[in-house]
Short mmCIF file of all heavy atoms in Angstrom, two decimals:
data_model
loop_
_atom_site.label_atom_id
_atom_site.label_comp_id
_atom_site.label_asym_id
_atom_site.label_seq_id
_atom_site.Cartn_x
_atom_site.Cartn_y
_atom_site.Cartn_z
N MET P 1 54.37 1.10 -9.51
CA MET P 1 55.65 1.20 -8.78
C MET P 1 56.11 -0.13 -8.20
O MET P 1 57.30 -0.45 -8.24
CB MET P 1 55.52 2.23 -7.64
CG MET P 1 55.22 3.64 -8.10
SD MET P 1 55.12 4.78 -6.70
CE MET P 1 53.64 4.17 -5.88
N ILE P 2 55.18 -0.92 -7.63
CA ILE P 2 55.54 -2.14 -6.91
C ILE P 2 55.26 -3.34 -7.80
O ILE P 2 54.11 -3.62 -8.13
CB ILE P 2 54.75 -2.26 -5.60
CG1 ILE P 2 54.96 -1.02 -4.74
CG2 ILE P 2 55.17 -3.52 -4.83
CD1 ILE P 2 54.08 -0.97 -3.52
N SER P 3 56.28 -4.05 -8.19
CA SER P 3 56.11 -5.22 -9.05
C SER P 3 55.49 -6.37 -8.25
O SER P 3 55.97 -6.71 -7.16
CB SER P 3 57.45 -5.66 -9.63
OG SER P 3 57.30 -6.85 -10.37
N LEU P 4 54.44 -6.95 -8.81
CA LEU P 4 53.78 -8.09 -8.16
C LEU P 4 54.26 -9.42 -8.74
O LEU P 4 53.72 -10.48 -8.38
CB LEU P 4 52.26 -7.98 -8.34
CG LEU P 4 51.58 -6.79 -7.65
CD1 LEU P 4 50.09 -6.81 -7.94
CD2 LEU P 4 51.83 -6.81 -6.15
N ARG P 5 55.28 -9.38 -9.59
CA ARG P 5 55.77 -10.62 -10.19
C ARG P 5 56.38 -11.56 -9.16
O ARG P 5 56.13 -12.77 -9.23
CB ARG P 5 56.78 -10.29 -11.29
CG ARG P 5 56.16 -9.57 -12.49
CD ARG P 5 57.19 -9.29 -13.58
NE ARG P 5 56.60 -8.53 -14.68
CZ ARG P 5 56.54 -7.21 -14.71
NH1 ARG P 5 57.06 -6.50 -13.71
NH2 ARG P 5 55.98 -6.58 -15.74
N PRO P 6 57.17 -11.07 -8.18
CA PRO P 6 57.68 -11.99 -7.15
C PRO P 6 56.52 -12.54 -6.32
O PRO P 6 55.61 -11.81 -5.93
CB PRO P 6 58.59 -11.09 -6.30
CG PRO P 6 58.94 -9.95 -7.19
CD PRO P 6 57.75 -9.71 -8.03
N ASP P 7 56.56 -13.84 -6.05
CA ASP P 7 55.47 -14.48 -5.31
C ASP P 7 55.26 -13.86 -3.93
O ASP P 7 54.12 -13.70 -3.48
CB ASP P 7 55.75 -15.98 -5.17
CG ASP P 7 55.49 -16.73 -6.46
OD1 ASP P 7 54.81 -16.18 -7.34
OD2 ASP P 7 55.98 -17.87 -6.59
N ASN P 8 56.35 -13.53 -3.24
CA ASN P 8 56.22 -12.99 -1.89
C ASN P 8 55.53 -11.63 -1.89
O ASN P 8 54.72 -11.32 -1.01
CB ASN P 8 57.58 -12.88 -1.21
CG ASN P 8 58.08 -14.22 -0.71
OD1 ASN P 8 57.35 -15.22 -0.76
ND2 ASN P 8 59.32 -14.27 -0.25
N THR P 9 55.83 -10.79 -2.88
CA THR P 9 55.18 -9.47 -2.97
C THR P 9 53.68 -9.64 -3.24
O THR P 9 52.84 -9.00 -2.59
CB THR P 9 55.82 -8.63 -4.08
OG1 THR P 9 57.23 -8.56 -3.88
CG2 THR P 9 55.24 -7.22 -4.07
N MET P 10 53.36 -10.49 -4.19
CA MET P 10 51.96 -10.77 -4.49
C MET P 10 51.26 -11.38 -3.28
O MET P 10 50.08 -11.08 -3.00
CB MET P 10 51.86 -11.72 -5.69
CG MET P 10 50.44 -11.98 -6.17
SD MET P 10 49.72 -10.50 -6.94
CE MET P 10 47.98 -10.94 -6.97
N TYR P 11 51.97 -12.20 -2.56
CA TYR P 11 51.40 -12.87 -1.39
C TYR P 11 50.92 -11.86 -0.35
O TYR P 11 49.78 -11.94 0.13
CB TYR P 11 52.43 -13.82 -0.78
CG TYR P 11 52.00 -14.42 0.54
CD1 TYR P 11 51.14 -15.51 0.56
CD2 TYR P 11 52.44 -13.89 1.75
CE1 TYR P 11 50.73 -16.06 1.77
CE2 TYR P 11 52.03 -14.44 2.96
CZ TYR P 11 51.18 -15.52 2.96
OH TYR P 11 50.77 -16.05 4.16
N TYR P 12 51.78 -10.90 -0.01
CA TYR P 12 51.40 -9.94 1.03
C TYR P 12 50.31 -8.98 0.54
O TYR P 12 49.51 -8.49 1.34
CB TYR P 12 52.64 -9.18 1.51
CG TYR P 12 53.52 -10.04 2.38
CD1 TYR P 12 54.76 -10.49 1.93
CD2 TYR P 12 53.09 -10.44 3.64
CE1 TYR P 12 55.55 -11.31 2.72
CE2 TYR P 12 53.88 -11.26 4.44
CZ TYR P 12 55.11 -11.69 3.97
OH TYR P 12 55.88 -12.51 4.75
N PHE P 13 50.25 -8.75 -0.75
CA PHE P 13 49.15 -7.96 -1.30
C PHE P 13 47.83 -8.71 -1.12
O PHE P 13 46.82 -8.12 -0.70
CB PHE P 13 49.41 -7.68 -2.78
CG PHE P 13 48.26 -7.01 -3.49
CD1 PHE P 13 47.86 -5.73 -3.15
CD2 PHE P 13 47.56 -7.68 -4.49
CE1 PHE P 13 46.79 -5.12 -3.80
CE2 PHE P 13 46.50 -7.07 -5.15
CZ PHE P 13 46.11 -5.79 -4.79
N VAL P 14 47.81 -10.00 -1.42
CA VAL P 14 46.60 -10.81 -1.26
C VAL P 14 46.20 -10.90 0.21
O VAL P 14 45.02 -10.80 0.55
CB VAL P 14 46.81 -12.22 -1.86
CG1 VAL P 14 45.63 -13.13 -1.53
CG2 VAL P 14 47.01 -12.14 -3.36
N VAL P 15 47.18 -11.08 1.09
CA VAL P 15 46.88 -11.13 2.53
C VAL P 15 46.24 -9.82 2.99
O VAL P 15 45.25 -9.83 3.74
CB VAL P 15 48.17 -11.41 3.34
CG1 VAL P 15 47.92 -11.19 4.84
CG2 VAL P 15 48.64 -12.84 3.11
N ALA P 16 46.79 -8.70 2.54
CA ALA P 16 46.25 -7.39 2.94
C ALA P 16 44.80 -7.23 2.46
O ALA P 16 43.92 -6.79 3.21
CB ALA P 16 47.12 -6.27 2.38
N VAL P 17 44.54 -7.61 1.20
CA VAL P 17 43.18 -7.50 0.66
C VAL P 17 42.23 -8.41 1.43
O VAL P 17 41.11 -8.01 1.78
CB VAL P 17 43.16 -7.83 -0.84
CG1 VAL P 17 41.73 -7.89 -1.36
CG2 VAL P 17 43.95 -6.80 -1.62
N PHE P 18 42.66 -9.64 1.69
CA PHE P 18 41.80 -10.58 2.41
C PHE P 18 41.46 -10.08 3.81
O PHE P 18 40.30 -10.14 4.23
CB PHE P 18 42.47 -11.96 2.50
CG PHE P 18 41.71 -12.93 3.36
CD1 PHE P 18 40.59 -13.56 2.87
CD2 PHE P 18 42.11 -13.18 4.66
CE1 PHE P 18 39.86 -14.45 3.67
CE2 PHE P 18 41.40 -14.05 5.47
CZ PHE P 18 40.28 -14.69 4.97
N VAL P 19 42.46 -9.61 4.53
CA VAL P 19 42.23 -9.13 5.90
C VAL P 19 41.27 -7.94 5.90
O VAL P 19 40.34 -7.86 6.72
CB VAL P 19 43.56 -8.76 6.58
CG1 VAL P 19 43.32 -8.05 7.91
CG2 VAL P 19 44.40 -10.02 6.81
N LEU P 20 41.47 -7.00 4.98
CA LEU P 20 40.59 -5.84 4.90
C LEU P 20 39.16 -6.25 4.58
O LEU P 20 38.20 -5.73 5.16
CB LEU P 20 41.11 -4.86 3.85
CG LEU P 20 42.40 -4.10 4.22
CD1 LEU P 20 42.88 -3.26 3.05
CD2 LEU P 20 42.19 -3.21 5.45
N CYS P 21 39.00 -7.20 3.66
CA CYS P 21 37.65 -7.66 3.29
C CYS P 21 37.00 -8.43 4.44
O CYS P 21 35.79 -8.30 4.68
CB CYS P 21 37.72 -8.54 2.05
SG CYS P 21 38.11 -7.64 0.54
N PHE P 22 37.79 -9.21 5.16
CA PHE P 22 37.26 -9.95 6.30
C PHE P 22 36.76 -8.99 7.37
O PHE P 22 35.67 -9.17 7.94
CB PHE P 22 38.34 -10.87 6.88
CG PHE P 22 37.85 -11.80 7.96
CD1 PHE P 22 37.26 -13.01 7.62
CD2 PHE P 22 37.97 -11.46 9.29
CE1 PHE P 22 36.81 -13.87 8.60
CE2 PHE P 22 37.51 -12.31 10.28
CZ PHE P 22 36.94 -13.52 9.94
N LEU P 23 37.55 -7.95 7.64
CA LEU P 23 37.13 -6.93 8.61
C LEU P 23 35.90 -6.17 8.12
O LEU P 23 35.01 -5.83 8.90
CB LEU P 23 38.28 -5.96 8.88
CG LEU P 23 39.51 -6.54 9.58
CD1 LEU P 23 40.62 -5.49 9.66
CD2 LEU P 23 39.15 -7.04 10.98
N PHE P 24 35.84 -5.93 6.81
CA PHE P 24 34.69 -5.25 6.21
C PHE P 24 33.42 -6.07 6.38
O PHE P 24 32.36 -5.53 6.76
CB PHE P 24 34.98 -4.99 4.73
CG PHE P 24 33.84 -4.35 3.99
CD1 PHE P 24 33.38 -3.08 4.33
CD2 PHE P 24 33.22 -5.02 2.94
CE1 PHE P 24 32.33 -2.49 3.64
CE2 PHE P 24 32.17 -4.43 2.25
CZ PHE P 24 31.72 -3.17 2.60
N ILE P 25 33.50 -7.37 6.12
CA ILE P 25 32.34 -8.25 6.29
C ILE P 25 31.92 -8.30 7.76
O ILE P 25 30.72 -8.25 8.08
CB ILE P 25 32.66 -9.66 5.76
CG1 ILE P 25 32.83 -9.62 4.25
CG2 ILE P 25 31.55 -10.64 6.14
CD1 ILE P 25 33.33 -10.92 3.65
N THR P 26 32.90 -8.36 8.65
CA THR P 26 32.59 -8.37 10.09
C THR P 26 31.88 -7.10 10.49
O THR P 26 30.90 -7.13 11.26
CB THR P 26 33.89 -8.52 10.90
OG1 THR P 26 34.59 -9.70 10.48
CG2 THR P 26 33.59 -8.64 12.38
N ARG P 27 32.34 -5.98 9.96
CA ARG P 27 31.70 -4.69 10.27
C ARG P 27 30.29 -4.64 9.72
O ARG P 27 29.37 -4.13 10.40
CB ARG P 27 32.54 -3.55 9.67
CG ARG P 27 32.00 -2.17 9.99
CD ARG P 27 32.18 -1.83 11.46
NE ARG P 27 31.54 -0.58 11.82
CZ ARG P 27 30.30 -0.46 12.28
NH1 ARG P 27 29.55 -1.54 12.46
NH2 ARG P 27 29.81 0.71 12.58
N ILE P 28 30.09 -5.14 8.52
CA ILE P 28 28.74 -5.15 7.93
C ILE P 28 27.79 -5.95 8.81
O ILE P 28 26.68 -5.50 9.13
CB ILE P 28 28.78 -5.75 6.51
CG1 ILE P 28 29.47 -4.80 5.54
CG2 ILE P 28 27.36 -6.05 6.02
CD1 ILE P 28 29.64 -5.38 4.16
N VAL P 29 28.21 -7.14 9.20
CA VAL P 29 27.32 -8.03 9.96
C VAL P 29 27.00 -7.46 11.33
O VAL P 29 25.87 -7.61 11.83
CB VAL P 29 27.97 -9.43 10.09
CG1 VAL P 29 27.14 -10.33 11.01
CG2 VAL P 29 28.11 -10.07 8.72
N ASN P 30 27.95 -6.78 11.95
CA ASN P 30 27.74 -6.23 13.29
C ASN P 30 27.10 -4.85 13.28
O ASN P 30 26.84 -4.28 14.35
CB ASN P 30 29.07 -6.17 14.05
CG ASN P 30 29.59 -7.55 14.40
OD1 ASN P 30 28.82 -8.47 14.68
ND2 ASN P 30 30.90 -7.72 14.38
N SER P 31 26.85 -4.30 12.11
CA SER P 31 26.22 -2.98 12.00
C SER P 31 24.70 -3.11 12.10
O SER P 31 24.16 -4.23 12.03
CB SER P 31 26.59 -2.34 10.65
OG SER P 31 25.98 -3.06 9.59
#
């Protein structure tokens, strides 16, 4: 549904993935 061809759309997708993974790593380390 959501085209990732525009740089800005792809950008916010990458930011979302990075933030979620960063929080995931933080949770792992503090567990």
Side-chain angles (χ1 to χ4, degrees):
M1 298 181 293
I2 304 172
S3 176
L4 295 179
R5 294 181 184 88
D7 284 343
N8 282 353
T9 306
M10 185 69 195
Y11 173 80
Y12 286 110
F13 173 65
V14 172
V15 169
V17 173
F18 173 78
V19 170
L20 289 175
C21 289
F22 187 85
L23 293 174
F24 177 63
I25 293 172
T26 304
R27 182 70 186 92
I28 289 175
V29 173
N30 291 326
S31 68

